[in-house]
Amino acid sequence: TNQSEQVVSLGATMLLPNFFSSTQPVERLTILIKTISSEATLTIAGEMEDFFQSHLGASATPYVTGSVPLYTRGQKELFSSILQSFSVAVLAIALLIGLLLRSVKMGIIAMVPNLLPVVLVISVMGWFGIPLSVATITVASIIFGVVVDDTIHFLYGYQNQDTRLTPRQRLDHVFKQVG
């Protein structure tokens, strides 16, 4: 059997034939493992790449392929990208609300009620054991978009009330007009 076509089955321990003492180069090695969680898959893939890199030398660039590692890496990158863009959106919206209301302080204060529903929904999801994924984290962006829209209408309406009114009277008028 050609060594490049051998299949090694992994159980609790990694038992590999001695490919590294052979004079024939190994071009492809197929290793089958049981289906495991995404994070465990990435951990094993990283360990295998490190192992083969150290045994094959600096000129070789081993890379674990397959649908599960590819999907897991893609999902991890996408999730990271979503969190990064959500953070940028929060900062940009705080700045824009501050500019609209002519007060950076109001822009920062406005972020508290905007982020509170997002934190609440993600917390409830965690409490019920719903894992964060690309699909579930999208809920946070949708909630944030709806809440920001309402916040802008509410704060703009409050700011444009008669300044002779008490804060309580201004709030009552805004709730009647905007709420």
Side-chain angles (χ1 to χ4, degrees), residues 21-177:
S21 64
S22 173
T23 57
Q24 184 180 13
V26 176
E27 294 177 19
R28 179 181 175 134
L29 175 65
T30 302
I31 300 175
L32 303 174
I33 62 173
K34 294 178 182 177
T35 303
I36 54 177
S37 71
S38 298
E39 289 303 315
T41 299
L42 288 181
T43 301
I44 288 176
E47 289 173 0
M48 289 172 50
E49 287 171 356
D50 292 342
F51 174 82
F52 288 116
Q53 182 71 48
S54 68
H55 285 80
L56 296 175
S59 63
T61 53
Y63 185 74
V64 175
T65 62
S67 58
V68 174
L70 179 64
Y71 172 77
T72 304
R73 286 182 182 127
Q75 184 177 10
K76 188 174 182 180
E77 287 297 318
L78 187 59
F79 188 71
S80 173
S81 175
I82 288 172
L83 289 177
Q84 199 173 34
S85 63
F86 186 78
S87 301
V88 169
V90 168
L91 291 173
I93 290 171
L95 178 65
L96 289 174
I97 290 175
L99 288 173
L100 175 70
L101 301 175
R102 294 180 203 91
S103 168
V104 174
K105 180 181 173 184
M106 284 297 283
I108 293 170
I109 290 171
M111 292 290 55
V112 174
N114 285 306
L115 292 175
L116 193 61
V118 174
V119 170
L120 180 67
V121 167
I122 290 176
S123 299
V124 169
M125 286 171 44
W127 189 52
F128 282 112
I130 300 170
L132 286 180
S133 68
V134 174
T136 57
I137 200 67
T138 304
V139 171
S141 300
I142 293 168
I143 292 169
F144 186 65
V146 170
V147 172
V148 163
D149 184 48
D150 293 340
T151 300
I152 291 171
H153 287 291
F154 188 86
L155 291 176
Y156 190 75
Y158 180 82
Q159 190 179 39
N160 288 331
Q161 292 295 317
D162 187 356
T163 56
R164 293 175 289 174
L165 298 174
T166 66
R168 173 66 185 196
Q169 290 172 324
R170 290 173 81 179
L171 281 174
D172 286 342
H173 282 102
V174 172
F175 273 117
K176 288 177 185 171
Q177 293 173 352

